[in-house]
């Protein structure tokens, strides 16, 4: 199936979405925080943090641009894929490449774990201050390129919490 029919957009809370994997915009400590990270740990319960702690013990957290996978605890999803987006520091510190890596590595981890549906928040566009328009362009194009080359993922859903991100992702999807 064409990649265009395998990308969806919705507005709301990612913790409510029933897919194989939801993606968390985490930090390198993997030990929780605010924003979507806080919402996922609150709604999913302590099992998620327990598995994060085991990953930290094994590999010492998660580098920016990389991704790890845990249970989704009490959430309707099966897995949480935790990825660490870049903090925006003006744009000449490799931020765009690192954000691209977040999407690509999360998608690959989903495929490696036999997921066919995955939902993304707008990584780095909250407290990490990545400009929303540039982030939307990277998100949509990285997902489209990945789906074009990969037949096993059935659906990728962008779950936007704010209207501005919803409009920006929608605009990028129309350009595909
Ligand atoms: N569902 C979907 N999207 C959400 C939700 C939700 N429940 N809550 C917020 N968002 P942010 P970052 C959106 O700040 O910029 C944490 O403390 C939000 O509107 O959560 O990558 C981590 O521990 C925004 O569009 O993540 C890190 O320290 C998007 O999620 C740091 O924040 C990302 O905003 C990561 O910062």
């Amino acid at each position: 199936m064409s990649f265009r029919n395998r990308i969806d957009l919705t507005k709301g809370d990612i913790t409510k979405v029933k897919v194989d994997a939801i993606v968390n915009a985490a930090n390198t400590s993997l030990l929780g925080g605010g924003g979507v990270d806080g919402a996922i740990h609150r709604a999913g319960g302590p099992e998620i943090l327990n598995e994060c702690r085991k990953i930290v013990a094994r590999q010492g957290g998660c580098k920016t641009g990389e991704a790890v996978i845990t249970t989704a605890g009490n959430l309707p999803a099966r897995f949480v894929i935790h990825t660490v987006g870049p903090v925006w520091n003006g744009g000449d510190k490799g931020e765009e490449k690192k954000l691209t890596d977040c999407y690509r590595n999360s998608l690959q981890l989903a495929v490696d774990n036999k997921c066919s549906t995955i939902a993304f928040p707008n990584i780095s566009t909250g407290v990490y201050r990545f400009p929303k328009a540039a982030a939307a362009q990277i998100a949509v194009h990285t997902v489209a390129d990945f789906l074009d080359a990969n037949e096993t993922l059935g659906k990728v859903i962008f779950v936007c919490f704010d209207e501005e991100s919803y409009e920006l992702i929608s605009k990028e999807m129309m350009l595909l």
Side-chain angles (χ1 to χ4, degrees), residues 12-14 25-27 32-37 39 122 124-128 161-162:
D13 179 355
I14 202 166
N27 59 60
V36 68
D37 195 6
N122 300 108
S124 281
T125 65
V127 298
Y128 281 1
F161 205 59
D162 58 281

Side-chain angles (χ1 to χ4, degrees), residues 70-106:
T70 67
T71 175
N74 303 325
L75 298 174
R78 290 168 52 217
F79 300 107
V80 175
I81 292 174
H82 307 260
T83 189
V84 182
V87 177
W88 182 260
N89 263 313
D92 56 4
K93 303 280 192 304
E95 292 96 330
E96 298 198 339
K97 175 176 185 302
K98 284 179 189 145
L99 188 61
T100 305
D101 288 347
C102 285
Y103 283 94
R104 207 175 277 148
N105 287 327
S106 298

Side-chain angles (χ1 to χ4, degrees), residues 144-165:
D145 287 349
F146 191 95
L147 288 178
D148 204 22
N150 182 290
E151 290 294 319
T152 64
L153 275 177
K155 190 72 86 183
V156 177
I157 308 173
F158 291 108
V159 182
C160 301
F161 205 59
D162 58 281
E163 180 65 27
E164 189 186 357
S165 292

